[in-house]
Amino acid sequence: MRAEERLTPRVIEQIREAVADADGNEVFLVGKAGDDGRVSSVTVGARGTDEAVPVLSPHLEEGDAVIHNHPSGGLRPSNADLAVASRLGNQGIGFYIVDNDLVDIYVVAEPVLPHQVVILDEEELAAGLSPGGALSRVYPLFEERESQIRMLRQVGRAFNNDEICAAEAGTGVGKSLAYLVPAVAWAVRNGERVVVSTNTINLQQQLVEKDIPLAKKVLGEDPKVVLVKGRGNYLCLHRLNEALEEMGLFDERDPELLSIREWARTTETGSRTDLSFYPADETWSRVCSEADTCLGLRCNHREGCFVLKARREASSARILIANHHLLFADLALRLGGSGFDDPAVLPPFRRVIFDEAHNVEKAATSFFSQSFSRFTILRHLGRLYRKRKGRVTGHLPAVLRLLGNTGLARRVPGLIEAVQDRVGELDVAAIRMLGAENALLLDAGSMPDFRDGAGTELGNLSFSIRELCDAFTDVLEKLESTASPGSSEDSPRETIAWDCRVQLARLSGIADMIDRFRLGEAGENDIFWLESLRSGRRGSEEPEKVVRLVITPLEVGPLMREAVFQPLRTAVFTSATLTVAGSFSYWAGRLGLSASDGKEPVFKSFPSPFNYSEHVLLGVPTDAPAPDAPGHREFLGPFLARALLASRGSGLVLFTSYSLLKEMYAAVQPELARAGIRLMKQGDADRARLLDSFRAERSSVLFATDSFWEGVDAPGDTLRMVIMCRLPFRVPSEPVLRARMASIEARGGNPFGELSLPDAVVRMRQGFGRLMRRYDDSGVVLILDPRIVTKHYGSVFLDSLPPARRVIGPAAGVLREVASFFAQKKEGDDGTSPSSRG
């Protein structure tokens, strides 16, 4: 084919000049097609030798054509050319070969011209949520919300303009519809997949069951939507069979396991949520799907695999609902080599919406941390070999049956027992290092002490793991070398060998991590720390203390830039609490979001439509002792009792210390019980059951800490009072927080002002937001920490809260105002139907 059939004369001349500049060597160029289909512009990407040139993917996008010359004049593609052309062709990128004189051209792969983007019409979408629009016709409780329509327009622009957008949407804005309508419209009209990621299961269920069906009705479109769950939510038929065989081997009877077996015969999804009962975590952990035990193509149950079925469903969906952890698992695989054009955990996508985005840093920190404990190692060892009740299970007995009881194989049980002993010794040494502390940051000051105190145990454990891995690998090589072609034993032999190699690879990775601790090899973005955990042993209520060693990223910004900001076309972040005193700088800084990423991020706030000044009273007793001052606990008990009696219960009391929670529970519970008010506390049941009980009993009160500062949705009279016992500063001794504060100080910053304070403000805003969930909700928020008015930073908290009516003064006056507020509201309810606010 003549070169001018695919290249314009100007491009031909430009390529000739580029080849001449490279002294006739190979040149890699990126061509872009003009209106007539010929390449109308080229850019030089790399220069090489007379035999090869690097092909650099960052220069390429769908519809481009890679052009490179063969100095020899022969246009026949080499095997390397074909491999590159195949890889790029799957991304829609063409591959052309030319001679140095630009006379002839050979088209190895045709470029796939990108589809014409259909720009969203903001006015059309906004009309759907306006009076007289589609929403008003399909939703009986419709009310126009100006902030919702403004947010919808902004999200639409983020899709149209390939933007990174942060949208703070106050409670009641209806943010779900504000982002779902443009997301669904874009997915349908442009044939692109959109991922919506949340932090909580509750929001995922709300989106799937309520908000997305409503968005579809507004648009008159019905794209496929799939809720994507992590593999741990699905039953693994292979592991179920293993658990049943083990139960039979030990002549045991596990009613839950037997019930799961019967359910497995009829379930279509294999999802834990579809069980008619909720199995114990210990039982489910024995039968759920795990990456570490997945046999992939070698699994005999592959045809019925529930995880594969779920992934097939997801691959045909236009809208995927996932959680932050699952999304980061997908992005980690893509960064690890899967790329952004092929399936990883999720099907490929380029547009994402993060709801509950105030938790993105926490989710990324959690996912990209590495850790191990004794339980981690024992779990991998147990897949290989374990003894119980005088019987031996795991893969090693099967290996011995297939290979014969050779001396090589007989060494392995002793090596496994050596690892078990060594990890126990490390636990003892690490617990000794922790002393009375629950966690320890291993920084420049403490790392030498840790290496002195536990270095021998670390070295012994690493050596034992590597010795085991080497010996077991030799056994597997012997096993594989003795396989008979076509033998019926080959399938189980391959399956066993595969699973063994997976477990050995995991153990080898742990040994690498152990060596990093032993040698103190912390990178610039690494935090090394350890913590003690308590876990109940099977068959015993006595908690067992073990130590977990962790490496956490100091900053998630570099990971976010590489995984989200740079490769994705649209990223929308939304939450009710992204700002501190009206500024996005804290949240954006923690995620490393800045204009330096090549895209100018857009930051917008959309205020709540709720009338806080009429519906909410904010009280601060100024004579309350400070949390660390004498008399604080003595003040707290009587005040809590009087406040909760004034509200007739219906209260959520938030603590930052579980020990204080238990003390106040004991102090307040008898008086509330005499008034007929049930008091519940965190720890009485799991979170879901506790919240169900709290919502079901209108006058009940819940004492809680930590995670209950957010995600509690109890509208109406179920929750009429929220009490925060102290400003929610995190304990400065927490290893990750301490390391990040030290990093800020080292660069000359202010750790308190840049991290501790804004983090506490966001947590307080979340706590405050538990009260008012609907237009007709009302109630009282009490902050029993005088520092909010006595310290210079208190104004940052107050300026970040909604404009409620405030009463700041002596406790007696605050309680009188609280009693008056509820007395007025008792007869003032207008009885109108509540409006859901997305």
Side-chain angles (χ1 to χ4, degrees):
M1 183 184 298
R2 306 295 288 180
E4 59 264 22
E5 294 181 48
R6 290 304 183 103
L7 311 174
T8 64
R10 181 170 174 271
V11 165
I12 289 175
E13 188 58 35
Q14 287 177 324
I15 297 176
R16 284 175 179 156
E17 292 176 2
V19 171
D21 290 343
D23 297 327
N25 288 312
E26 289 198 24
V27 180
F28 155 61
L29 305 103
V30 180
K32 295 189 179 293
D35 294 337
D36 63 356
R38 293 188 298 171
V39 174
S40 59
S41 66
V42 290
T43 303
V44 176
R47 299 168 185 84
T49 67
D50 61 346
E51 293 183 347
V53 65
V55 177
L56 307 178
S57 295
H59 293 277
L60 303 171
E61 59 185 30
E62 184 182 9
D64 287 346
V66 166
I67 306 168
H68 85 287
N69 58 307
H70 278 185
S72 66
L75 303 188
R76 181 183 177 87
S78 66
N79 288 337
D81 287 334
L82 292 175
V84 173
S86 177
R87 177 172 58 84
L88 296 179
N90 286 322
Q91 301 174 29
I93 298 166
F95 194 89
Y96 301 170
I97 301 174
V98 298
D99 55 64
N100 278 15
D101 295 327
L102 273 292
V103 174
D104 296 315
I105 189 169
Y106 186 79
V107 178
V108 181
E110 297 282 2
V112 177
L113 297 180
H115 68 273
Q116 189 67 35
V117 173
V118 179
I119 297 298
L120 299 180
D121 185 332
E122 293 177 29
E123 297 302 324
E124 173 199 346
L125 297 181
L129 302 188
S130 300
L135 182 61
S136 67
R137 296 191 294 272
V138 300
Y139 187 52
L141 300 176
F142 169 80
E143 291 177 351
E144 182 180 15
R145 310 176 216 178
E146 180 184 350
S147 290
Q148 183 184 55
I149 293 173
R150 287 174 49 218
M151 180 175 169
L152 177 148
R153 292 178 186 275
Q154 181 55 57
V155 174
R157 284 194 288 274
F159 278 95
N160 286 339
N161 302 332
D162 294 350
E163 291 178 345
I164 298 171
C165 169
E168 181 177 78
T171 307
V173 164
K175 60 181 169 63
S176 300
L177 273 186
Y179 65 69
L180 284 173
V181 169
V184 170
W186 184 272
V188 170
R189 297 171 192 179
N190 287 286
E192 286 192 51
R193 186 176 291 107
V194 179
V195 175
V196 179
S197 179
T198 78
N199 192 60
T200 60
I201 294 173
N202 288 343
L203 181 53
Q204 291 174 5
Q205 292 173 336
Q206 175 189 314
L207 293 176
V208 171
E209 297 170 6
K210 173 191 157 192
D211 296 331
I212 291 177
L214 201 53
K216 289 180 177 181
K217 290 179 181 178
V218 169
L219 293 166
E221 305 281 5
D222 190 22
K224 184 173 180 178
V225 178
V226 169
L227 171 60
V228 187
K229 304 175 185 177
R231 65 163 63 240
N233 291 280
Y234 294 98
L235 176 70
C236 173
L237 295 173
H238 174 70
R239 297 193 71 209
L240 173 62
N241 279 352
E242 284 189 332
L244 290 169
E245 288 174 3
E246 183 175 323
M247 184 178 70
L249 179 66
F250 294 107
D251 195 25
E252 296 173 336
R253 181 175 179 81
D254 186 328
E256 283 195 333
L257 202 57
L258 294 172
S259 296
I260 291 173
R261 181 186 65 182
E262 295 307 309
W263 168 73
R265 293 169 176 167
T266 59
T267 178
E268 290 292 322
T269 66
S271 173
R272 184 179 186 177
T273 56
D274 291 346
L275 272 165
S276 59
F277 65 98
Y278 199 81
D281 289 342
E282 183 180 6
T283 302
W284 185 253
S285 68
R286 296 173 63 197
V287 299
C288 68
S289 178
E290 287 183 340
D292 286 343
T293 57
C294 180
L295 299 176
L297 294 171
R298 295 163 180 81
C299 183
N300 293 329
H301 301 278
R302 184 175 175 81
E303 290 301 316
C305 178
F306 296 116
V307 171
L308 287 182
K309 184 176 181 180
R311 287 187 175 178
R312 285 193 292 270
E313 280 291 297
S315 68
S316 61
R318 287 293 176 215
I319 303 290
L320 298 179
I321 310 299
N323 63 42
H324 296 338
H325 192 272
L326 187 68
L327 178 60
F328 282 120
D330 176 90
L331 295 173
L333 282 179
R334 297 187 186 283
L335 292 179
S338 296
F340 284 81
D341 297 295
D342 295 310
V345 175
L346 302 175
F349 63 93
R350 292 283 183 163
R351 302 186 191 272
V352 64
I353 296 169
F354 290 89
D355 202 340
E356 300 177 310
H358 60 282
N359 279 307
V360 168
E361 184 196 10
K362 181 180 178 182
T365 297
S366 173
F367 181 81
F368 288 105
S369 293
Q370 304 169 265
S371 68
F372 77 89
S373 69
R374 176 156 53 94
F375 290 151
T376 313
I377 293 175
L378 294 182
R379 185 174 69 248
H380 293 304
L381 293 177
R383 296 288 299 171
L384 302 174
Y385 171 87
R386 62 187 179 275
K387 283 184 177 180
R388 183 172 163 230
K389 294 183 178 180
R391 295 181 180 269
V392 177
T393 60
H395 288 315
L396 185 60
V399 171
L400 293 174
R401 285 195 302 272
L402 291 167
L403 189 59
N405 195 13
T406 65
L408 187 65
R410 284 199 303 271
R411 287 186 59 218
V412 172
L415 295 175
I416 288 176
E417 290 172 0
V419 173
Q420 293 171 340
D421 292 341
R422 300 294 88 76
V423 71
E425 292 166 4
L426 175 60
D427 251 4
V428 172
I431 290 170
R432 185 173 61 246
M433 293 294 299
L434 279 169
E437 301 296 326
N438 290 322
L440 176 65
L441 171 65
L442 300 178
D443 55 14
S446 58
M447 179 62 90
D449 292 337
F450 176 70
R451 291 170 62 193
D452 288 343
T456 299
E457 288 79 4
L458 288 166
N460 290 342
L461 177 57
S462 174
F463 177 82
S464 294
I465 290 175
R466 296 191 190 282
E467 188 177 25
L468 167 65
C469 290
D470 289 343
F472 213 123
T473 298
D474 290 341
V475 171
L476 295 177
E477 289 175 354
K478 180 73 171 176
L479 178 70
E480 291 162 342
S481 69
T482 58
S484 303
S487 169
S488 61
E489 290 184 349
D490 285 352
S491 179
R493 187 184 295 254
E494 290 179 1
T495 298
I496 290 169
W498 169 264
D499 194 21
C500 288
R501 289 190 184 279
V502 169
Q503 305 312 316
L504 294 175
R506 297 292 188 269
L507 288 168
S508 180
I510 291 173
D512 291 342
M513 189 175 172
I514 292 169
D515 286 341
R516 292 191 65 192
F517 274 89
R518 181 173 62 86
L519 301 172
E521 293 180 344
E524 290 184 0
N525 198 43
D526 292 329
I527 303 171
F528 280 43
W529 57 288
L530 58 152
E531 66 175 342
S532 64
L533 305 171
R534 291 188 179 274
S535 178
R537 293 176 294 183
R538 191 175 185 184
S540 171
E541 296 182 0
E542 182 68 24
E544 186 176 8
K545 193 171 184 179
V546 298
V547 172
R548 186 169 75 113
L549 283 75
V550 192
I551 303 176
T552 293
L554 179 65
E555 305 289 346
V556 301
L559 297 166
M560 290 296 294
R561 281 193 290 274
E562 192 177 358
V564 178
F565 304 144
Q566 292 173 352
L568 302 186
R569 296 192 180 105
T570 297
V572 175
F573 298 84
T574 186
S575 166
T577 55
L578 295 182
T579 64
V580 174
S583 171
F584 285 89
S585 59
Y586 164 69
W587 175 83
R590 297 308 308 162
L591 291 191
L593 178 55
S594 68
S596 62
D597 296 309
K599 294 181 180 180
E600 185 72 41
V602 177
F603 300 99
K604 295 287 184 181
S605 290
F606 305 95
S608 169
F610 292 167
N611 189 341
Y612 284 95
S613 61
E614 287 190 7
H615 286 262
V616 178
L617 175 70
L618 171 62
V620 180
T622 54
D623 53 353
D628 296 327
H632 173 71
R633 293 169 184 258
E634 291 76 9
F635 166 85
L636 209 53
F639 187 93
L640 288 174
R642 291 183 62 188
L644 292 167
L645 289 172
S647 66
R648 303 184 305 281
S650 305
L652 173 64
V653 183
L654 297 170
F655 296 83
T656 59
S657 160
Y658 191 69
S659 62
L660 181 60
L661 179 155
K662 291 192 294 183
E663 182 180 337
M664 290 303 106
Y665 177 89
V668 173
Q669 192 273 337
E671 189 167 355
L672 294 188
R674 286 193 293 271
I677 298 171
R678 180 187 177 192
L679 178 58
M680 296 177 279
K681 71 177 186 301
Q682 184 177 346
D684 288 346
D686 64 60
R687 178 187 168 94
R689 291 187 177 92
L690 197 58
L691 287 176
D692 286 344
S693 298
F694 176 60
R695 295 187 190 102
E697 195 164 339
R698 176 175 166 176
S699 65
S700 63
V701 173
L702 175 60
F703 280 16
T705 66
D706 298 332
S707 63
F708 287 81
W709 283 73
E710 61 180 276
V712 176
D713 194 359
D717 286 343
T718 301
L719 181 55
R720 297 186 297 158
M721 175 175 283
V722 173
I723 302 177
M724 291 175 267
C725 293
R726 68 180 297 169
L727 302 181
F729 289 108
R730 297 191 187 276
V731 180
S733 60
E734 290 181 10
V736 175
L737 177 62
R738 184 177 159 193
R740 287 174 171 171
M741 292 178 69
S743 175
I744 293 171
E745 187 172 18
R747 60 171 169 76
N750 180 345
F752 179 78
E754 294 180 36
L755 184 57
S756 295
L757 176 59
D759 174 77
V761 170
V762 170
R763 291 187 75 197
M764 173 159 283
R765 293 188 67 199
Q766 281 290 324
F768 189 106
R770 297 313 94 211
L771 180 68
M772 196 166 180
R773 310 302 296 170
R774 306 183 307 200
Y775 264 104
D776 59 345
D777 284 348
S778 64
V780 173
V781 175
L782 296 174
I783 301 172
L784 310 186
D785 189 334
R787 292 177 297 174
I788 199 168
V789 291
T790 61
K791 296 293 186 180
H792 67 279
Y793 55 76
S795 60
V796 181
F797 285 96
L798 292 172
D799 291 347
S800 300
L801 296 177
R805 180 164 69 90
R806 296 178 180 177
V807 50
I808 299 175
V814 170
L815 288 171
R816 281 195 300 270
E817 288 290 335
V818 169
S820 175
F821 178 89
F822 284 117
Q824 293 172 16
K825 290 296 179 183
K826 185 176 180 180
E827 300 299 330
D829 293 339
D830 57 14
T832 55
S833 298
S835 295
S836 176
R837 287 287 140 186

